[in-house]
Amino acid sequence: MVEVISCFDAVANPGKMLPVEESINRILNVVPNATKTERIPLSKAMDRVLATDQYSPFNVPPHTNSAMDGYAIAFTDPLPVSWRLVGEAYAGRGYPEKLNQGEAVAIMTGAPVPEGADTIIIKEAASLKGAALSIQGGVQKGQHVRLAGEDIPRGSLCLPSGSLLSPQALGLLASMGLSSVEVFKPVKVAIFSTGDEVVDQGEALPEFGIYDTNRFTLRGMLTRLGCEVIDLGIIEDDQRSLSEALALAASSADIMLSSGGVSMGEADYIKSALKQEGRVDFWRIAMRPGRPLAFGDVGGKPFFGLPGNPVAVMVTFMQFVQPALRKMMGQTAWQPNRMIAIAEETLKSRLGRTDYSRGVYHINESGQLVVRSTGSQGSGILTSMVMANCLIEITDEFERIDVGEPVLIQPFSDLM
């Protein structure tokens, strides 16, 4: 069972709020590490997480070869006036003899450098008259030669466990001759929404009702992370229905997410259902948007109760759920991607609170990375997330960022 470290007694101390960084650390201290693995073809391993350290069984490249089309020679000082061309070397088929001083071999990119040679003269710097090769310009010993093991020496660690398998990582593993790889199994995530006002798409919208958006944004972000999503739909606002949903989620998923019903003033049956099925703390986070958050254990599985407002759901997912999922996926060293941009407008915040504004960053005409907000920052304005390509992160020691000052941004590239 996941041990929950209580952050504070919400009833006894309702005014206290937990800093963002401390909240993240508390969550990461209790969510489990990845343990279940499977072996899959390398061709299907994109965006999966490596479960074992990968050591190179041989040198990469396996032999010393030419980095350019040209001529292989044995460097001497001084250089001769010309060299005698004695043969050719192609990729996959080298020159079979040892090269002597004063001799040259025409060589193609990737071809093994002949024994006795140590330098490549590029084709554009050479001229050939009959079998006599001459050059224009200087030559440096060892130029345009790729040494065996220059990329990866034999026996060295080339990819550690926990690496997210990107296209370039797959290429590296392929260069080692691997056709399959051991990866962590995908995390199964159960999601559901709560609220009598929340309606499924395709149903008539009642007065004061709203269509559910949170399950769709959550599903999209979870899919981008490679999770298996179990969608339990919209749960009625009563203790029995919620208890049944929580029990089903705990029996079928590794972690569960709900949206709505976590504010301090919400109906008691929600808290009662969570208490009945597990142990959950209701936190107030010193942030905007997304101050209310529930976190704990239900049926032995981590549980996150996210706010109901659409933007708050996405922001709290990015800041709290994503790090937990990355750890459960096997990415124990993962950190969010942050960059520093220059503010194009004044950005207001409040001391003691971390603000996440929706922003648009770009490179200006001076080559600077700059950022501006999308305008109104209400936690229910979904269009602001559609227009944005980042979150502007103003940490709790600042109450404003003036025009021209640096500010942290979190690009959406990971998830959105």
Side-chain angles (χ1 to χ4, degrees):
M1 178 174 288
V2 178
E3 178 189 1
V4 176
I5 303 173
S6 180
C7 71
F8 64 91
D9 184 337
V11 176
N13 191 4
K16 184 175 179 180
M17 290 194 288
L18 198 64
V20 169
E21 195 64 31
E22 184 179 344
S23 304
I24 295 170
N25 290 335
R26 286 176 180 268
I27 291 167
L28 291 178
N29 282 337
V30 296
V31 296
N33 289 312
T35 56
K36 298 177 182 178
T37 67
E38 60 183 347
R39 180 164 286 275
I40 62 174
L42 189 63
S43 60
K44 297 184 181 298
M46 179 66 187
D47 287 334
R48 299 293 294 274
V49 179
L50 192 63
T52 57
D53 291 340
Q54 294 295 317
Y55 295 88
S56 180
F58 44 73
N59 286 326
V60 179
H63 52 258
T64 298
N65 66 89
S66 177
M68 303 288 285
D69 290 344
Y71 301 92
I73 64 167
F75 183 86
T76 58
D77 188 12
L79 291 170
V81 174
S82 64
W83 293 262
R84 182 170 63 90
L85 189 65
V86 296
E88 298 175 326
Y90 295 91
R93 179 167 60 87
Y95 180 69
E97 307 293 333
K98 181 178 180 179
L99 200 66
N100 299 310
Q101 290 187 4
E103 294 179 337
V105 167
I107 193 166
M108 305 298 120
T109 301
V113 174
E115 183 184 359
D118 57 13
T119 301
I120 305 297
I121 299 169
I122 63 173
K123 195 170 185 178
E124 295 83 352
S127 61
L128 190 64
K129 292 183 179 180
L133 176 75
S134 59
I135 64 170
Q136 298 83 42
V139 178
Q140 292 184 335
K141 184 178 181 179
Q143 70 181 24
H144 308 309
V145 172
R146 296 186 291 218
L147 299 175
E150 181 178 274
D151 187 7
I152 308 170
R154 179 181 178 179
S156 66
L157 178 66
C158 59
L159 273 181
S161 174
S163 298
L164 185 67
L165 293 177
S166 60
Q168 56 267 40
L170 294 180
L172 181 60
L173 295 177
S175 75
M176 295 161 50
L178 294 180
S179 60
S180 64
V181 66
E182 192 81 9
V183 295
F184 289 110
K185 287 188 174 181
V187 177
K188 295 181 180 179
V189 186
I191 61 173
F192 60 88
S193 297
T194 63
D196 285 338
E197 78 283 7
V198 182
V199 178
D200 247 332
Q201 284 68 26
E203 297 181 8
L205 191 64
E207 187 179 11
F208 308 124
I210 57 171
Y211 284 120
D212 186 12
T213 60
N214 293 337
R215 282 176 24 251
F216 290 87
T217 54
L218 288 174
R219 177 185 283 274
M221 292 187 289
L222 291 167
T223 300
R224 285 277 176 92
L225 285 174
C227 299
E228 292 184 12
V229 181
I230 302 169
D231 190 344
L232 301 181
I234 300 169
I235 307 303
E236 294 181 17
D237 270 347
D238 65 74
Q239 185 172 334
R240 179 179 176 180
S241 297
L242 184 58
S243 294
E244 290 175 352
L246 290 170
L248 176 60
S251 66
S252 57
D254 302 309
I255 181 174
M256 58 203 82
L257 312 176
S258 72
S259 65
V262 297
S263 297
M264 301 296 287
E266 293 290 344
D268 288 338
Y269 64 79
I270 296 178
K271 298 173 186 175
S272 298
L274 291 169
K275 183 177 181 181
Q276 176 181 316
E277 299 298 327
R279 179 181 174 189
V280 176
D281 284 338
F282 287 78
W283 295 358
R284 297 176 72 231
I285 312 296
M287 65 181 290
R288 187 187 68 170
R291 183 173 63 179
L293 179 74
F295 172 71
D297 165 87
V298 173
K301 307 292 178 62
F303 169 83
F304 283 88
L306 306 179
N309 284 322
V311 175
V313 164
M314 286 182 272
V315 172
T316 52
F317 182 97
M318 292 176 68
Q319 306 310 315
F320 304 115
V321 182
Q322 179 178 202
L325 286 172
R326 296 278 188 182
K327 180 181 178 182
M328 294 176 69
M329 291 165 57
Q331 290 183 268
T332 52
W334 181 84
Q335 292 288 330
N337 183 22
R338 288 183 170 95
M339 297 188 294
I340 296 177
I342 302 301
E344 289 189 309
E345 62 186 9
T346 298
L347 302 166
K348 295 182 180 180
S349 183
R350 182 183 298 172
L351 289 175
R353 180 183 75 189
T354 299
D355 266 28
Y356 296 98
S357 300
R358 282 76 81 193
V360 179
Y361 71 89
H362 68 282
I363 305 294
N364 68 10
E365 62 277 2
S366 300
Q368 289 182 308
L369 184 66
V370 295
V371 68
R372 59 173 175 80
S373 78
T374 57
S376 180
Q377 296 293 304
S379 60
I381 303 176
L382 263 175
T383 53
S384 65
M385 290 297 281
V386 175
M387 292 187 293
N389 61 11
C390 70
L391 291 179
I392 303 170
E393 181 180 359
I394 305 176
T395 51
D396 53 13
E397 67 268 30
F398 298 99
E399 61 180 343
R400 62 185 286 146
I401 301 293
D402 289 322
V403 175
E405 291 185 335
V407 66
L408 283 173
I409 63 171
Q410 292 185 26
F412 282 169
S413 54
D414 287 27
L415 291 176
M416 292 183 280

